[in-house]
Amino acid sequence: MHYNLCDTIADIVQNSIEANATLVEVELTETENNLTVYIRDNGCGMSAEDVKNAQNPFYTDGVKHPNRKIGLGIPFLIQTVTATQGEFKIDSELGKGTTVYMMFNLQNIDTPPLGDVSGMFRQLLLLTNQNPDYELKISRKKKTATAENQYDLSRNQLKEVLGDLENGKNLMLLGDFLKSQELSD
């Protein structure tokens, strides 16, 4: 199982980028009781058989990671939601893209902590190994007893404002900006 929920989310988004998606949308909604996440992409998509295989921890096609004998991202997601009274669903169509829905029951004692949301978003905005020109759109909503917050981000807009996302100064500005979005009311 992943250490926190942000690890799980980041793993699924990385899968989208590695599936040659040019657009990945992450919608993260947090309430007192639940964390609901939708990850939509326009990547290569999967057949019904591929979706089934992706849920098997002992299956790998040997293409994406030729030296791996197992794939654990989706199985870890399934394990987490199953063990904590959550939900998940994967919809995919070859050549069209994939949508992954996950809902975590934040009231269940076994649900891992959320983790560093701003740090996760920063990490996702910087993934360039497979597809340096992907667009990542983020929609974050939080409505709990102690906080109410909503913001939307676009990787392309951030690059227009900041310029190079590999420059140390720009990375610090990006990190500070993302943290400020998480703290604002």
Side-chain angles (χ1 to χ4, degrees):
M1 189 175 302
H2 285 99
Y3 177 72
N4 61 51
L5 298 179
C6 284
D7 290 341
T8 301
I9 297 164
D11 185 58
I12 304 302
V13 172
Q14 185 170 354
N15 287 346
S16 291
I17 295 167
E18 290 175 350
N20 296 317
T22 57
L23 174 62
V24 181
E25 298 173 302
V26 178
E27 182 181 319
L28 189 121
T29 304
E30 181 181 357
T31 66
E32 201 71 36
N33 297 316
N34 300 316
L35 178 72
T36 304
V37 182
Y38 286 92
I39 300 168
R40 298 173 189 91
D41 71 55
N42 67 351
C44 61
M46 296 182 282
S47 68
E49 183 177 342
D50 290 337
V51 170
K52 181 180 175 188
N53 287 334
Q55 297 176 51
N56 179 350
F58 302 107
Y59 175 83
T60 183
D61 62 8
V63 175
K64 182 176 166 187
H65 301 287
N67 296 322
R68 287 191 192 168
K69 303 294 182 221
I70 57 175
L72 296 175
I74 298 294
F76 275 150
L77 166 61
I78 293 167
Q79 178 186 9
T80 302
V81 299
T82 301
T84 61
Q85 301 167 315
E87 301 172 0
F88 82 98
K89 184 176 181 182
I90 302 169
D91 290 315
S92 191
E93 187 177 340
L94 267 175
K96 300 268 182 170
T98 302
T99 297
V100 177
Y101 159 78
M102 55 190 103
M103 188 279 294
F104 300 99
N105 177 354
L106 297 176
Q107 299 301 309
N108 187 298
I109 194 167
D110 293 324
T111 300
L114 176 56
D116 178 8
V117 174
S118 63
M120 173 193 64
F121 285 154
R122 181 176 168 208
Q123 171 192 351
L124 297 176
L125 289 162
L126 300 175
L127 290 174
T128 58
N129 56 338
Q130 285 292 113
N131 181 3
D133 297 321
Y134 68 95
E135 168 65 311
L136 176 65
K137 292 185 177 185
I138 296 168
S139 177
R140 168 76 158 120
K141 299 171 189 151
K142 182 175 184 177
K143 187 172 184 178
T144 65
T146 58
E148 188 169 337
N149 187 18
Q150 180 175 340
Y151 61 91
D152 297 305
L153 299 172
S154 160
R155 182 172 187 263
N156 287 340
Q157 288 177 337
L158 288 169
K159 284 173 63 176
E160 283 178 24
V161 172
L162 292 172
D164 181 5
L165 292 180
E166 296 178 13
N167 174 293
K169 185 176 179 181
N170 293 349
L171 290 175
M172 287 178 50
L173 287 170
L174 176 61
D176 290 344
F177 173 71
L178 291 168
K179 285 178 190 172
S180 76
Q181 295 303 297
E182 281 297 308
L183 296 175
S184 59
D185 291 306

